[in-house]
Structure formats: structure tokens, C-alpha cells
């Protein structure tokens, strides 16, 4: 079993805004003088040095001074699920290799926010999905979902899948993203309330579409104004996995 102090940020799909939300959360927590790091275990779709990878964006958003290759030890160019992207590059990675590659980074910080690849059922290796990495790390999960139509279904399915694997869920954040469609979408007024009602997972806030040029100070301000940080701070300090295991052992 591998235990890393932190929180795993997963999504209901690819392109839902995990990177900007993760980066903004880390920036806000670091502004509180917390020694928080960020880790992208596997990424695909661009190469380091392009400025287009999630790891490079995370470093830009947070202001953390790390090498991008340390934040993302496994990077593949093909815009495919990590397992297929690695195979296309002739690389065969295992879950334990992914974890071992991130351990030195995690050890440098009090805790770390980990950004997943796509959703919880995305294949990472030949025999493991993203949810298996979360389970192996023993980190609670935070879900990032789209704001608009369809998000109830996607979010409830993600919650259910995580719960089936025993993963504690801190809450969910809805992200407006970059699409103009939300302005003509009447579902956005009730989606968060309905998700909470049907799954019992707390809504931690709505991350707005940002029209200004992104910088660390802007992201910190948005988190402070729009997102409930208390449950996230609590999960970083008191890992729900440990509480669940103590309760189970007691039974």
C-alpha cells in the first residue's frame, strides 16, 4: 500500500477543467503559507517544452519552482488515453512505476494535489484505471465537472464509481470552462442542487469562466470568492481513508 498525503483531483471527463481548478486551489493554499505541491502522474497529448502540457500549466498557475519533468514524470505526445499513448511510444508502464516516480516530489511537500488524466475509468496501464491509482495512493478525491447540461449524469456516475471502490469524496466543483453555451443553458441554476440531492456529496462551488489573462493572483482571488476551501483543508489534514480504516478495523 502506498500512502501519499494529499488530494486527488479527478474529472467527469477529459477537458472539464481539472488543470485550472487544481492549479488555482494549490495557489490559494500556498498563499496561506501551506507547503503544498502539485503532481500530474501521467499526461498525454503534447510534449514537455511545448508549453501546452498540463504540468507546464500547473507550474504557471501555481508559481511553484519545480522542473516540469518532475511534476509529470510520464509524458506522451499522442492525444490518447495514457495506456495507449505510452504503448504508441513503445513504453510499458506499471502502476507501481507511476507511484514510485512521484514519491520524491511528494516527499518535498507537506501535502500534494494530484491531477488525474480524464475521468476515473481512464486506462493508465494494461491492468489499471485511474481509480486504481487513487485507491493505491489512499488519497480522497475531489471531482471537477462541467456546469451545464449533462453534468448531473456524468457526476453521479463518477461518484458511484468512486464509492464502489471505497474512495472517500471531499466534494465536487462545477467549472464553467471556456464555452459560451452556459449562457443559454437553463440547467445551470439547478444542476449543483440536484447532484447534491441524489448523491449526498457536498457542492464546493462554481469556478467561473475567466475572460482576463490568467495569473496566480487572479486564480487565488477566484478560489477565495467562489470555492469552499474548508473541506479541502480538512481532507489534507485528516485523510478520510485513515478514518475509514480505523472504523473498519474497529468493527
Amino acid at each position: 500500500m502506498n500512502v501519499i498525503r494529499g488530494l486527488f483531483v479527478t474529472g467527469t471527463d477529459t477537458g472539464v477543467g481539472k488543470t485550472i481548478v487544481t492549479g488555482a486551489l494549490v495557489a490559494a493554499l500556498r498563499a496561506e503559507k501551506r507547503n503544498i505541491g502539485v503532481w500530474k502522474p501521467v499526461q498525454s497529448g503534447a510534449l514537455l517544452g511545448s508549453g501546452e502540457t498540463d504540468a507546464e500549466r500547473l507550474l504557471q498557475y501555481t508559481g511553484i519552482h519545480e522542473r516540469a519533468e518532475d511534476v509529470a514524470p510520464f509524458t506522451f505526445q499522442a492525444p490518447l488515453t495514457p495506456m495507449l499513448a505510452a504503448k504508441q511510444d513503445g513504453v510499458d508502464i506499471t502502476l507501481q512505476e507511476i507511484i514510485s516516480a512521484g514519491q520524491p516530489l511528494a516527499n518535498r511537500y507537506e501535502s500534494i494535489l494530484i491531477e488525474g488524466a480524464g475521468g476515473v475509468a481512464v486506462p493508465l496501464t494494461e491492468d489499471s484505471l485511474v481509480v486504481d491509482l487513487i485507491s493505491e495512493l489512499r488519497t480522497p478525491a475531489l471531482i471537477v465537472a462541467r456546469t451545464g447540461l449533462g453534468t448531473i449524469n456524468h457526476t453521479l456516475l463518477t461518484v458511484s464509481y468512486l464509492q464502489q471502490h471505497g474512495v472517500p469524496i471531499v466534494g465536487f466543483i462545477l467549472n464553467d470552462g471556456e464555452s459560451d453555451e452556459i449562457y443559454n443553458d437553463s440547467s445551470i441554476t439547478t444542476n449543483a442542487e440536484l447532484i447534491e440531492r441524489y448523491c449526498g456529496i457536498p457542492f464546493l462551488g462554481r469556478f467561473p469562466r475567466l475572460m482576463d489573462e490568467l495569473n496566480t493572483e487572479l486564480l487565488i482571488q477566484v478560489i477565495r470568492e467562489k470555492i469552499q476551501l474548508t473541506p479541502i483543508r480538512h481532507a489534507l489534514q485528516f485523510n478520510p481513508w485513515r478514518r475509514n480504516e480505523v472504523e473498519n478495523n474497529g468493527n
Side-chain angles (χ1 to χ4, degrees):
M1 184 188 301
N2 302 269
V3 180
I4 285 183
R5 299 180 307 277
L7 179 66
F8 200 105
V9 182
T10 190
T12 54
D13 196 358
T14 188
V16 296
K18 294 187 303 298
T19 304
I20 190 168
V21 171
T22 302
L25 287 171
V26 171
L29 291 166
R30 288 175 64 84
E32 299 176 351
K33 307 302 181 184
R34 296 170 184 266
N35 185 25
I36 307 289
V38 67
W39 175 28
K40 178 80 179 186
V42 184
Q43 61 183 0
S44 57
L47 291 178
L48 291 174
S50 66
E52 298 177 358
T53 66
D54 289 343
E56 289 166 300
R57 291 191 180 103
L58 287 168
L59 291 175
Q60 173 194 343
Y61 297 155
T62 60
I64 291 175
H65 299 292
E66 289 277 2
R67 300 188 310 162
E69 54 265 40
D70 290 337
V71 171
F74 294 98
T75 300
F76 305 105
Q77 185 171 15
L80 299 168
T81 186
M83 183 269 288
L84 291 176
K87 183 177 291 188
Q88 187 161 306
D89 282 1
V91 178
D92 182 22
I93 53 175
T94 67
L95 196 60
Q96 193 54 54
E97 286 172 339
I98 293 172
I99 295 168
S100 296
Q103 195 72 58
L105 177 72
N107 290 343
R108 293 200 284 274
Y109 296 93
E110 170 192 327
S111 54
I112 196 159
L113 263 64
I114 308 156
E115 184 196 341
V120 292
V122 165
L124 282 182
T125 71
E126 288 284 356
D127 58 1
S128 64
L129 307 176
V130 168
V131 71
D132 298 310
L133 176 61
I134 303 173
S135 296
E136 190 66 25
L137 293 174
R138 288 294 192 266
T139 51
L142 171 69
I143 299 170
V144 177
R146 291 185 178 87
T147 303
L149 191 64
T151 196
I152 295 174
N153 177 66
H154 295 159
T155 307
L156 293 181
L157 288 172
T158 299
V159 167
S160 177
Y161 200 67
L162 287 167
Q163 290 176 334
Q164 287 174 34
H165 287 79
V167 177
I169 305 169
V170 174
F172 69 95
I173 290 172
L174 297 183
N175 178 37
D176 286 354
E178 300 176 359
S179 173
D180 290 328
E181 293 179 4
I182 61 166
Y183 299 115
N184 299 312
D185 186 346
S186 59
S187 76
I188 64 175
T189 60
T190 54
N191 283 337
E193 175 191 348
L194 290 174
I195 292 168
E196 272 193 320
R197 181 193 305 177
Y198 288 116
C199 70
I201 300 300
F203 173 52
L204 302 187
R206 178 176 163 190
F207 197 91
R209 181 181 181 185
L210 299 179
M211 308 298 288
D212 299 327
E213 184 175 346
L214 296 181
N215 60 70
T216 303
E217 290 306 314
L218 172 62
L219 295 175
I220 292 171
Q221 178 184 345
V222 168
I223 291 294
R224 288 175 173 171
E225 293 178 356
K226 302 293 185 181
I227 306 298
Q228 298 179 47
L229 275 176
T230 299
I232 294 172
R233 296 188 194 101
H234 190 270
L236 291 173
Q237 186 174 0
F238 305 104
N239 187 336
W241 275 100
R242 298 194 188 101
R243 184 173 65 247
N244 290 350
E245 287 166 353
V246 167
E247 290 173 355
N248 291 335
N249 289 336
N251 293 333

